[in-house]
């Protein structure tokens, strides 16, 4: 667990703003899109897209957790039906 005093970002919005500063070369780029995953990534991606004035798209996926540790992903399932499985975890 990360202690508050050791945290790099205050929250996900702050993370997006700080990350946008590192990506300034992409500001107003016509061939760039921010792709974000739900459960945290959308908030961060929104801040990046807002700061850089580039579009945001959301990839709707569902984590496939392991039976012995639901926090550990063994893969993901996309809304299109595409399934990714991590052989190293399985």
């Amino acid at each position: 667990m990360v202690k508050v005093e050791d945290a790099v970002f205050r929250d996900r919005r702050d993370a997006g703003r700080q990350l946008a500063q590192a990506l300034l070369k992409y500001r107003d780029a016509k061939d760039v899109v921010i792709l974000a995953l739900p459960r945290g990534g959308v908030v961060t991606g929104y801040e990046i897209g807002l700061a850089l004035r580039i579009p945001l798209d959301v990839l709707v996926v569902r984590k496939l957790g392991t039976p012995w540790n639901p926090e550990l992903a063994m893969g993901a399932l996309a809304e299109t039906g595409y399934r990714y499985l991590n052989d190293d975890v399985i």
Side-chain angles (χ1 to χ4, degrees):
M1 181 106 181
V2 175
K3 293 183 278 180
V4 172
E5 60 270 12
D6 295 335
V8 177
F9 309 115
R10 285 189 314 271
D11 54 27
R12 290 183 171 116
R13 295 186 83 163
D14 180 53
R17 291 180 194 126
Q18 287 190 48
L19 291 168
Q21 292 304 306
L23 300 169
L24 286 174
K25 68 180 181 180
Y26 297 105
R27 187 177 190 122
D28 294 318
K30 302 298 181 218
D31 60 346
V32 175
V33 128
I34 299 290
L35 295 176
L37 297 174
R39 296 201 59 189
V42 175
V43 172
T44 304
Y46 174 79
E47 293 295 333
I48 296 169
L50 189 65
L52 301 181
R53 297 192 300 247
I54 54 178
L56 167 70
D57 201 356
V58 177
L59 297 175
V60 179
V61 297
R62 184 174 194 289
K63 176 177 75 174
L64 299 173
T66 59
W68 61 90
N69 181 354
E71 293 300 315
L72 176 62
M74 65 179 182
L77 181 63
E79 64 182 320
T80 62
Y82 175 79
R83 182 182 66 192
Y84 171 79
L85 298 175
N86 184 333
D87 291 326
D88 292 337
V89 174
I90 295 172

